[in-house]
Amino acid sequence: MKTVNKTVNGFSQEAIAEVVTALQSNPEIGNFELRATNQWLGGGHNRSYIQGFYGACQEDTSRTEPFVYDNDEPPVLLGDNKGANPGEVLLHGLLGCMTTAMVLLAAANGIEIGDVSSRIEGDIDINGFLGLNPNGKKGFSQIRVFFDIQGVDEDSKQVLLQLATQSPLFNSLINPTDVQVALQR
């Protein structure tokens, strides 16, 4: 008798089960070190490269070429629009991580989703960053995430929103994260 590998939300149920079983037998597999490098190019323009990472107890070599992301500022913030600004990149990463968390965890729970679209907004006052308001916050004061989920009932939509909040980036932002800054050795 042939077993059919069911796919939910683009994820193989069999592959999800294999990953969970592997993690249960060896929790070390779940420890990852993600990396990026960056080079300043002038003014507000800089470029980030993302290629290798450590995960599943080994160095990953699946990416033969790095992903390249240009960062800049709009002219109103003294840039040349050669890329999204880093705040926008953070919002992009958060939205992507929350969406992936939602659909993957939904698939792991057998919840089929028809469609998901989303948008994100973040409020930031640069007076704090520039030191013009010594009491001003130097980062986002609020981030708002909106999901439009199709193909499930209202109760399931609430469950899916909760699954989205399991995102590692969401949790990195809402919980204190140890960020260390040093000169390269």
Coordinates of all heavy atoms in Angstrom, one line a residue, residues 87-174:
G87 N 14.9 50.4 8.9 CA 13.6 50.2 9.6 C 12.6 49.5 8.8 O 11.9 48.6 9.3
E88 N 12.6 49.8 7.5 CA 11.7 49.1 6.6 C 12.1 47.7 6.4 O 11.2 46.8 6.3 CB 11.6 49.9 5.2 CG 11.0 51.3 5.3 CD 11.3 52.1 4.1 OE1 12.5 52.1 3.5 OE2 10.4 52.8 3.7
V89 N 13.4 47.4 6.4 CA 13.9 46.1 6.3 C 13.4 45.3 7.5 O 13.0 44.1 7.4 CB 15.4 46.0 6.1 CG1 15.9 44.6 6.1 CG2 15.8 46.7 4.7
L90 N 13.5 45.9 8.7 CA 13.1 45.2 9.9 C 11.6 44.9 9.8 O 11.2 43.8 10.1 CB 13.4 46.1 11.1 CG 13.0 45.5 12.5 CD1 14.0 45.9 13.5 CD2 11.6 45.9 12.9
L91 N 10.8 45.8 9.3 CA 9.4 45.6 9.2 C 9.1 44.4 8.2 O 8.3 43.6 8.4 CB 8.6 46.8 8.8 CG 8.6 48.0 9.8 CD1 7.9 49.2 9.2 CD2 8.0 47.6 11.1
H92 N 9.9 44.4 7.1 CA 9.7 43.4 6.1 C 10.1 42.0 6.7 O 9.3 41.0 6.5 CB 10.7 43.7 4.9 CG 11.1 42.5 4.1 ND1 10.2 41.9 3.2 CD2 12.3 41.8 4.1 CE1 10.9 40.8 2.7 NE2 12.1 40.7 3.2
G93 N 11.1 42.0 7.5 CA 11.5 40.7 8.1 C 10.5 40.2 9.1 O 10.2 39.0 9.2
L94 N 10.0 41.2 9.9 CA 8.9 40.8 10.9 C 7.7 40.3 10.2 O 7.2 39.2 10.6 CB 8.6 42.0 11.8 CG 7.5 41.8 12.8 CD1 7.8 40.7 13.8 CD2 7.2 43.1 13.5
L95 N 7.2 40.9 9.2 CA 6.0 40.5 8.5 C 6.2 39.2 7.8 O 5.4 38.3 7.9 CB 5.6 41.6 7.4 CG 4.2 41.6 6.9 CD1 3.2 41.7 8.0 CD2 4.0 42.7 5.9
G96 N 7.4 39.0 7.2 CA 7.7 37.7 6.6 C 7.8 36.6 7.6 O 7.3 35.5 7.4
C97 N 8.4 36.8 8.7 CA 8.6 35.8 9.8 C 7.2 35.4 10.4 O 6.9 34.3 10.6 CB 9.5 36.3 10.8 SG 10.1 35.0 12.0
M98 N 6.4 36.4 10.6 CA 5.1 36.2 11.2 C 4.2 35.4 10.2 O 3.4 34.5 10.6 CB 4.4 37.5 11.6 CG 5.0 38.1 12.8 SD 4.2 39.6 13.3 CE 2.8 38.9 14.2
T99 N 4.3 35.7 8.9 CA 3.5 35.0 7.9 C 3.9 33.5 7.8 O 3.1 32.6 7.8 CB 3.6 35.7 6.6 OG1 3.1 37.0 6.7 CG2 2.8 35.0 5.5
T100 N 5.2 33.3 7.7 CA 5.8 32.0 7.6 C 5.4 31.2 8.9 O 5.0 30.0 8.8 CB 7.3 32.0 7.4 OG1 7.6 32.7 6.2 CG2 7.9 30.6 7.3
A101 N 5.6 31.8 10.1 CA 5.2 31.1 11.3 C 3.8 30.7 11.3 O 3.4 29.5 11.6 CB 5.5 32.0 12.5
M102 N 2.9 31.6 10.8 CA 1.5 31.3 10.8 C 1.2 30.1 9.9 O 0.5 29.1 10.3 CB 0.7 32.5 10.3 CG -0.8 32.2 10.2 SD -1.7 33.5 9.2 CE -1.5 34.9 10.2
V103 N 1.6 30.1 8.6 CA 1.2 29.1 7.7 C 1.9 27.8 8.0 O 1.3 26.7 7.8 CB 1.5 29.5 6.2 CG1 0.6 30.7 5.9 CG2 2.9 29.8 5.9
L104 N 3.2 27.8 8.5 CA 3.9 26.6 8.9 C 3.2 25.9 10.1 O 2.9 24.7 10.1 CB 5.3 26.8 9.2 CG 6.1 25.6 9.7 CD1 6.1 24.5 8.8 CD2 7.5 26.0 10.1
L105 N 3.0 26.7 11.1 CA 2.3 26.1 12.3 C 0.9 25.7 12.0 O 0.4 24.7 12.6 CB 2.4 27.1 13.5 CG 3.8 27.4 14.0 CD1 3.8 28.5 15.0 CD2 4.5 26.1 14.5
A106 N 0.2 26.4 11.2 CA -1.1 26.0 10.7 C -1.0 24.6 10.0 O -1.8 23.7 10.3 CB -1.8 27.0 9.8
A107 N -0.1 24.5 9.1 CA 0.1 23.2 8.4 C 0.4 22.1 9.4 O -0.1 21.0 9.3 CB 1.2 23.3 7.4
A108 N 1.3 22.3 10.4 CA 1.6 21.3 11.4 C 0.4 20.9 12.2 O 0.3 19.8 12.6 CB 2.7 21.9 12.3
N109 N -0.6 21.8 12.3 CA -1.9 21.5 13.0 C -3.0 21.1 12.0 O -4.2 21.0 12.4 CB -2.3 22.7 13.8 CG -1.4 22.9 15.0 OD1 -1.5 22.1 16.0 ND2 -0.6 23.9 15.0
G110 N -2.7 20.9 10.7 CA -3.7 20.4 9.8 C -4.6 21.5 9.3 O -5.7 21.2 8.8
I111 N -4.3 22.8 9.6 CA -5.3 23.9 9.2 C -4.9 24.4 7.8 O -3.8 24.9 7.6 CB -5.2 25.0 10.2 CG1 -5.5 24.5 11.6 CG2 -6.1 26.2 9.8 CD1 -5.2 25.6 12.7
E112 N -5.7 24.1 6.8 CA -5.5 24.6 5.5 C -6.0 26.0 5.4 O -7.1 26.3 5.7 CB -6.2 23.7 4.5 CG -5.6 22.3 4.4 CD -6.0 21.5 3.2 OE1 -6.1 22.1 2.1 OE2 -6.3 20.3 3.4
I113 N -5.2 26.9 4.8 CA -5.5 28.3 4.6 C -5.7 28.6 3.1 O -4.9 28.1 2.3 CB -4.3 29.2 5.2 CG1 -4.1 28.9 6.6 CG2 -4.7 30.7 4.9 CD1 -2.8 29.6 7.2
G114 N -6.7 29.3 2.8 CA -6.9 29.7 1.4 C -6.0 30.7 0.9 O -5.3 30.5 -0.2
D115 N -5.8 31.8 1.6 CA -4.9 32.9 1.2 C -4.6 33.7 2.4 O -5.4 33.9 3.3 CB -5.5 33.7 0.1 CG -4.6 34.7 -0.5 OD1 -3.5 34.3 -0.9 OD2 -5.0 35.9 -0.6
V116 N -3.4 34.3 2.4 CA -3.0 35.3 3.5 C -2.3 36.4 2.8 O -1.4 36.3 2.0 CB -2.0 34.6 4.5 CG1 -1.5 35.7 5.5 CG2 -2.6 33.5 5.2
S117 N -2.7 37.6 3.1 CA -2.0 38.8 2.7 C -1.9 39.7 4.0 O -2.7 39.5 5.0 CB -2.7 39.6 1.6 OG -4.0 40.0 2.0
S118 N -0.9 40.6 4.0 CA -0.7 41.3 5.2 C -0.1 42.7 4.9 O 0.4 42.9 3.8 CB 0.2 40.5 6.2 OG 1.4 40.1 5.5
R119 N -0.1 43.5 5.9 CA 0.6 44.8 5.8 C 1.1 45.2 7.2 O 0.6 44.7 8.2 CB -0.2 45.9 5.2 CG -1.3 46.5 6.0 CD -2.1 47.5 5.2 NE -3.4 47.8 5.8 CZ -3.5 48.6 6.8 NH1 -2.5 49.4 7.2 NH2 -4.7 48.8 7.4
I120 N 2.1 46.0 7.2 CA 2.7 46.4 8.5 C 3.0 47.9 8.5 O 3.3 48.5 7.4 CB 4.0 45.6 8.8 CG1 4.5 45.7 10.2 CG2 5.0 45.9 7.7 CD1 5.5 44.7 10.6
E121 N 2.8 48.5 9.6 CA 3.1 49.9 9.8 C 3.9 50.1 11.1 O 3.7 49.4 12.1 CB 1.8 50.8 10.0 CG 0.9 50.6 8.8 CD -0.5 51.2 9.1 OE1 -0.8 51.5 10.3 OE2 -1.3 51.3 8.2
G122 N 4.9 51.0 11.1 CA 5.7 51.3 12.3 C 5.9 52.7 12.5 O 6.2 53.5 11.5
D123 N 5.7 53.2 13.7 CA 5.9 54.6 14.0 C 7.3 54.8 14.7 O 7.6 54.1 15.6 CB 4.8 55.1 15.0 CG 3.4 55.0 14.4 OD1 3.3 55.1 13.2 OD2 2.5 54.7 15.2
I124 N 8.0 55.8 14.2 CA 9.3 56.1 14.7 C 9.5 57.6 14.6 O 9.1 58.3 13.7 CB 10.4 55.4 13.9 CG1 11.7 55.4 14.6 CG2 10.5 55.8 12.5 CD1 12.7 54.4 14.1
D125 N 10.1 58.2 15.7 CA 10.3 59.6 15.7 C 11.8 59.8 15.8 O 12.5 59.4 16.7 CB 9.7 60.2 17.0 CG 9.9 61.7 17.1 OD1 10.7 62.3 16.4 OD2 9.3 62.3 18.1
I126 N 12.4 60.4 14.7 CA 13.9 60.4 14.6 C 14.5 61.5 15.5 O 15.7 61.6 15.6 CB 14.4 60.6 13.2 CG1 13.9 62.0 12.6 CG2 13.9 59.5 12.3 CD1 14.6 62.3 11.3
N127 N 13.7 62.3 16.2 CA 14.2 63.3 17.2 C 15.0 62.6 18.3 O 16.0 63.1 18.7 CB 13.1 64.1 17.7 CG 12.6 65.1 16.7 OD1 13.3 66.0 16.3 ND2 11.3 65.0 16.4
G128 N 14.6 61.4 18.7 CA 15.3 60.7 19.7 C 16.6 60.2 19.2 O 17.7 60.3 19.9
F129 N 16.6 59.6 18.0 CA 17.8 59.1 17.4 C 18.9 60.2 17.2 O 20.1 60.0 17.4 CB 17.5 58.5 16.0 CG 18.6 58.4 15.0 CD1 19.7 57.6 15.3 CD2 18.6 59.2 13.9 CE1 20.7 57.5 14.3 CE2 19.6 59.1 13.0 CZ 20.7 58.3 13.2
L130 N 18.4 61.4 16.8 CA 19.3 62.5 16.5 C 19.7 63.3 17.8 O 20.5 64.2 17.7 CB 18.6 63.5 15.6 CG 18.4 63.0 14.1 CD1 17.6 64.0 13.3 CD2 19.8 62.7 13.5
G131 N 19.2 62.9 18.9 CA 19.5 63.5 20.2 C 18.8 64.9 20.4 O 19.1 65.6 21.3
L132 N 17.8 65.2 19.5 CA 17.1 66.4 19.7 C 16.1 66.4 20.8 O 15.6 67.4 21.2 CB 16.5 66.8 18.3 CG 17.4 67.0 17.2 CD1 16.7 67.2 15.9 CD2 18.4 68.2 17.5
N133 N 15.7 65.2 21.1 CA 14.8 65.0 22.2 C 15.4 63.9 23.1 O 15.4 62.7 22.9 CB 13.4 64.4 21.8 CG 12.4 64.2 22.9 OD1 12.8 64.3 24.1 ND2 11.2 63.8 22.6
P134 N 16.1 64.4 24.2 CA 16.9 63.5 25.0 C 16.0 62.4 25.7 O 16.5 61.3 26.0 CB 17.5 64.4 26.1 CG 16.9 65.7 26.0 CD 16.2 65.8 24.6
N135 N 14.7 62.6 25.8 CA 13.8 61.6 26.4 C 13.1 60.8 25.3 O 12.3 59.9 25.6 CB 12.8 62.3 27.3 CG 13.5 63.0 28.5 OD1 14.4 62.5 29.1 ND2 13.0 64.2 28.7
G136 N 13.4 61.1 24.1 CA 12.7 60.4 23.0 C 13.2 59.0 22.8 O 14.4 58.8 22.9
K137 N 12.3 58.2 22.4 CA 12.7 56.8 22.1 C 13.5 56.8 20.8 O 13.2 57.5 19.8 CB 11.4 55.9 21.9 CG 11.7 54.5 21.8 CD 10.4 53.7 21.9 CE 10.8 52.2 21.7 NZ 9.9 51.3 22.3
K138 N 14.5 55.9 20.8 CA 15.4 55.8 19.6 C 15.0 54.7 18.6 O 15.6 54.5 17.6 CB 16.8 55.6 20.1 CG 17.4 56.7 20.8 CD 18.8 56.4 21.3 CE 19.5 57.6 22.0 NZ 18.8 58.2 23.1
G139 N 13.9 54.1 18.9 CA 13.4 53.1 18.0 C 11.9 53.2 17.8 O 11.3 54.3 18.0
F140 N 11.3 52.2 17.2 CA 9.8 52.2 17.0 C 9.1 52.3 18.3 O 9.4 51.7 19.3 CB 9.4 50.9 16.3 CG 9.8 50.8 14.8 CD1 10.9 50.0 14.4 CD2 9.1 51.5 13.9 CE1 11.2 49.9 13.1 CE2 9.4 51.4 12.6 CZ 10.5 50.6 12.2
S141 N 8.1 53.2 18.3 CA 7.2 53.3 19.4 C 6.0 52.4 19.3 O 5.5 52.0 20.4 CB 6.7 54.8 19.6 OG 6.0 55.2 18.4
Q142 N 5.6 52.0 18.1 CA 4.6 51.1 17.9 C 4.7 50.5 16.5 O 5.1 51.1 15.6 CB 3.2 51.7 18.1 CG 2.1 50.7 18.0 CD 0.7 51.3 18.2 OE1 0.3 52.1 17.3 NE2 0.0 50.9 19.3
I143 N 4.4 49.2 16.5 CA 4.3 48.5 15.2 C 3.0 47.8 15.1 O 2.5 47.2 16.1 CB 5.5 47.4 15.1 CG1 6.8 48.1 15.0 CG2 5.3 46.6 13.8 CD1 8.0 47.1 15.1
R144 N 2.3 48.0 14.0 CA 1.0 47.4 13.8 C 1.0 46.4 12.6 O 1.5 46.8 11.5 CB -0.1 48.5 13.6 CG -0.3 49.4 14.7 CD -1.1 50.7 14.4 NE -0.5 51.5 13.4 CZ 0.5 52.3 13.6 NH1 1.1 52.5 14.7 NH2 0.9 53.1 12.6
V145 N 0.5 45.2 12.8 CA 0.5 44.2 11.8 C -1.0 43.8 11.5 O -1.7 43.6 12.5 CB 1.3 42.9 12.3 CG1 1.2 41.8 11.2 CG2 2.7 43.3 12.7
F146 N -1.3 43.8 10.3 CA -2.7 43.5 9.8 C -2.7 42.3 8.9 O -1.9 42.3 7.9 CB -3.3 44.7 9.1 CG -3.3 45.9 9.9 CD1 -2.3 46.8 9.8 CD2 -4.3 46.2 10.8 CE1 -2.2 48.0 10.6 CE2 -4.3 47.4 11.6 CZ -3.3 48.3 11.4
F147 N -3.5 41.3 9.2 CA -3.6 40.1 8.3 C -4.9 40.0 7.7 O -5.9 40.3 8.4 CB -3.3 38.8 9.1 CG -1.9 38.6 9.4 CD1 -1.4 38.9 10.7 CD2 -1.0 38.0 8.5 CE1 0.0 38.6 11.0 CE2 0.3 37.8 8.8 CZ 0.8 38.1 10.0
D148 N -5.0 39.6 6.5 CA -6.3 39.3 5.8 C -6.1 37.8 5.4 O -5.3 37.4 4.6 CB -6.4 40.1 4.5 CG -7.7 39.8 3.8 OD1 -8.6 39.1 4.3 OD2 -7.9 40.3 2.6
I149 N -6.9 37.0 6.1 CA -6.8 35.5 6.0 C -8.1 35.0 5.4 O -9.2 35.3 5.8 CB -6.6 34.9 7.4 CG1 -5.4 35.5 8.1 CG2 -6.5 33.4 7.2 CD1 -5.3 35.1 9.5
Q150 N -8.0 34.3 4.3 CA -9.1 33.7 3.6 C -9.2 32.2 3.6 O -8.1 31.6 3.8 CB -9.1 34.2 2.1 CG -9.0 35.6 1.9 CD -10.3 36.3 2.4 OE1 -11.4 35.9 2.1 NE2 -10.1 37.4 3.1
G151 N -10.3 31.6 3.5 CA -10.5 30.2 3.4 C -10.7 29.5 4.8 O -10.7 28.2 4.8
V152 N -10.8 30.2 5.9 CA -11.1 29.6 7.2 C -12.2 30.4 7.9 O -12.4 31.6 7.6 CB -9.8 29.6 8.1 CG1 -8.7 28.7 7.4 CG2 -9.2 31.0 8.3
D153 N -12.8 29.8 8.9 CA -13.8 30.5 9.7 C -13.2 31.5 10.6 O -12.0 31.6 10.8 CB -14.7 29.5 10.4 CG -14.0 28.7 11.4 OD1 -13.1 29.1 12.0 OD2 -14.4 27.5 11.5
E154 N -14.0 32.3 11.3 CA -13.6 33.4 12.2 C -12.8 32.8 13.4 O -11.8 33.4 13.8 CB -14.7 34.2 12.7 CG -15.3 35.1 11.6 CD -14.3 36.0 10.9 OE1 -13.5 36.7 11.6 OE2 -14.3 36.1 9.7
D155 N -13.2 31.7 13.9 CA -12.5 31.1 15.1 C -11.1 30.7 14.7 O -10.1 30.9 15.4 CB -13.3 29.9 15.7 CG -14.5 30.3 16.4 OD1 -14.6 31.5 16.8 OD2 -15.4 29.5 16.6
S156 N -11.0 30.1 13.5 CA -9.7 29.7 13.0 C -8.8 30.9 12.7 O -7.6 30.8 12.9 CB -9.9 28.9 11.7 OG -10.5 27.6 12.0
K157 N -9.4 32.0 12.3 CA -8.6 33.2 12.1 C -7.9 33.6 13.4 O -6.8 34.1 13.4 CB -9.4 34.3 11.5 CG -9.8 34.1 10.0 CD -10.7 35.2 9.5 CE -11.1 34.9 8.1 NZ -12.0 36.0 7.5
Q158 N -8.6 33.5 14.5 CA -8.1 33.9 15.8 C -6.9 33.0 16.1 O -5.9 33.4 16.7 CB -9.2 34.0 16.8 CG -10.2 35.1 16.6 CD -9.6 36.5 16.4 OE1 -8.7 36.9 17.2 NE2 -9.9 37.2 15.4
V159 N -7.1 31.7 15.9 CA -6.0 30.7 16.1 C -4.8 31.1 15.3 O -3.7 31.0 15.8 CB -6.5 29.3 15.9 CG1 -5.4 28.3 15.9 CG2 -7.6 28.9 16.9
L160 N -5.1 31.4 14.0 CA -3.9 31.7 13.1 C -3.2 33.0 13.6 O -2.0 33.0 13.5 CB -4.5 31.9 11.7 CG -5.0 30.6 11.1 CD1 -5.7 30.8 9.8 CD2 -3.9 29.6 10.9
L161 N -3.9 34.0 14.1 CA -3.2 35.2 14.6 C -2.3 34.8 15.8 O -1.2 35.3 15.9 CB -4.2 36.2 15.0 CG -5.0 37.0 13.9 CD1 -5.9 38.0 14.5 CD2 -4.0 37.7 13.0
Q162 N -2.8 33.9 16.6 CA -2.0 33.4 17.8 C -0.7 32.7 17.2 O 0.4 32.8 17.8 CB -2.8 32.6 18.7 CG -3.8 33.4 19.5 CD -3.1 34.5 20.3 OE1 -2.1 34.2 21.0 NE2 -3.6 35.7 20.2
L163 N -0.9 31.9 16.2 CA 0.2 31.2 15.6 C 1.3 32.1 15.1 O 2.5 31.9 15.2 CB -0.2 30.2 14.6 CG -1.1 29.0 15.0 CD1 -1.5 28.2 13.9 CD2 -0.4 28.2 16.1
A164 N 0.8 33.2 14.5 CA 1.7 34.2 13.9 C 2.6 34.8 15.0 O 3.8 35.2 14.8 CB 0.9 35.3 13.2
T165 N 2.1 34.9 16.2 CA 2.8 35.5 17.3 C 3.9 34.6 17.9 O 4.6 34.9 18.8 CB 1.9 36.0 18.5 OG1 1.3 34.9 19.1 CG2 0.9 37.1 17.9
Q166 N 4.0 33.4 17.3 CA 5.0 32.4 17.7 C 6.3 32.7 16.9 O 7.3 32.1 17.2 CB 4.6 31.0 17.5 CG 3.4 30.6 18.3 CD 3.6 30.8 19.8 OE1 4.6 30.3 20.4 NE2 2.8 31.5 20.4
S167 N 6.2 33.7 16.0 CA 7.4 34.1 15.2 C 8.6 34.4 16.0 O 8.5 35.2 16.9 CB 7.0 35.3 14.3 OG 8.0 36.1 14.0
P168 N 9.8 33.9 15.7 CA 11.0 34.3 16.4 C 11.3 35.8 16.3 O 11.7 36.3 17.3 CB 12.1 33.5 15.7 CG 11.4 32.3 15.1 CD 10.0 32.8 14.7
L169 N 11.0 36.4 15.2 CA 11.3 37.9 15.1 C 10.3 38.7 16.0 O 10.7 39.6 16.7 CB 11.3 38.4 13.7 CG 12.5 38.0 12.9 CD1 12.4 38.7 11.5 CD2 13.8 38.3 13.5
F170 N 9.0 38.3 16.0 CA 8.0 38.9 16.8 C 8.5 38.8 18.3 O 8.5 39.8 19.0 CB 6.7 38.2 16.6 CG 5.6 38.7 17.5 CD1 4.9 39.9 17.2 CD2 5.3 38.1 18.7 CE1 3.9 40.4 18.1 CE2 4.3 38.6 19.6 CZ 3.6 39.7 19.2
N171 N 8.9 37.6 18.7 CA 9.3 37.4 20.1 C 10.6 38.1 20.4 O 10.8 38.6 21.5 CB 9.3 35.9 20.4 CG 7.9 35.4 20.6 OD1 7.4 35.6 21.7 ND2 7.3 34.9 19.6
S172 N 11.5 38.3 19.4 CA 12.7 39.0 19.7 C 12.4 40.5 19.9 O 13.1 41.2 20.7 CB 13.7 38.9 18.4 OG 14.1 37.6 18.3
L173 N 11.4 41.0 19.3 CA 11.0 42.4 19.4 C 10.2 42.7 20.7 O 10.4 43.7 21.3 CB 10.2 42.9 18.2 CG 11.0 43.1 17.0 CD1 10.1 43.4 15.8 CD2 12.0 44.2 17.1
I174 N 9.4 41.8 21.1 CA 8.5 42.0 22.3 C 9.2 41.6 23.6 O 8.8 42.0 24.7 CB 7.2 41.4 22.2 CG1 7.2 39.9 22.2 CG2 6.4 41.9 21.0 CD1 5.9 39.2 22.5

